[in-house]
Amino acid sequence: MANAPERKCPVETTFDVIGGKWKGVILYHLMSGTKRFGELRKIYPQVTHHMLTLQLRDLEREGIIERRTYNQVPPKVEYSLTEFGKTLNPIISLMKEWGELYNERASRPPHSSDD
């Protein structure tokens, strides 16, 4: 078929949706519940306002998170995982565990026999 979409590796698809420096971190913190924009900024102050906004918009567009806006002054915006987004919890949890294992391994002296 001339116009058939190219099939991607499923791992590539996953990285396309949740890859990048901040998306996994955002998802990890939303696993524990709804967060306001400012809360996410406090967790990782090194992420710029602009970059956090872009990452949240991408995740929202993909149906992974939902944005809820309250009509009040000052404006209140909350982010939470969608039901579909919650299907990523086991993946994000495993990434956390692997990161802990890696950090532990990296903190050992070189030439450790557990490699």
Side-chain angles (χ1 to χ4, degrees):
M1 291 184 181
N3 293 331
E6 185 179 324
R7 290 191 57 145
K8 287 184 176 180
C9 165
V11 174
E12 181 182 358
T13 300
T14 303
F15 277 119
D16 285 348
V17 175
I18 67 167
K21 186 170 183 177
W22 301 110
K23 288 180 185 176
V25 172
I26 291 166
L27 294 172
Y28 172 70
H29 289 287
L30 290 178
M31 283 172 53
S32 63
T34 300
K35 301 278 185 291
R36 293 180 67 175
F37 186 89
E39 289 178 276
L40 293 169
R41 284 292 313 272
K42 286 179 187 173
I43 292 167
Y44 282 95
Q46 62 269 43
V47 63
T48 65
H49 185 280
H50 179 71
M51 181 55 67
L52 181 57
T53 299
L54 290 176
Q55 300 288 280
L56 289 166
R57 283 183 186 161
D58 283 351
L59 290 167
E60 183 182 11
R61 185 177 55 252
E62 296 292 350
I64 306 299
I65 66 170
E66 62 183 349
R67 178 181 190 264
R68 185 167 182 188
T69 306
Y70 296 87
N71 191 15
Q72 64 184 49
V73 177
K76 178 180 175 182
V77 179
E78 294 180 334
Y79 296 91
S80 59
L81 294 173
T82 62
E83 286 304 311
F84 181 63
K86 290 176 184 176
T87 64
L88 288 165
N89 286 1
I91 296 166
I92 301 299
S93 293
L94 284 171
M95 290 173 67
K96 174 190 175 280
E97 290 174 26
W98 188 89
E100 289 170 344
L101 182 66
Y102 180 86
N103 286 340
E104 181 182 307
R105 180 179 178 268
S107 67
R108 290 191 301 232
H111 304 2
S112 180
S113 61
D114 290 346
D115 293 338

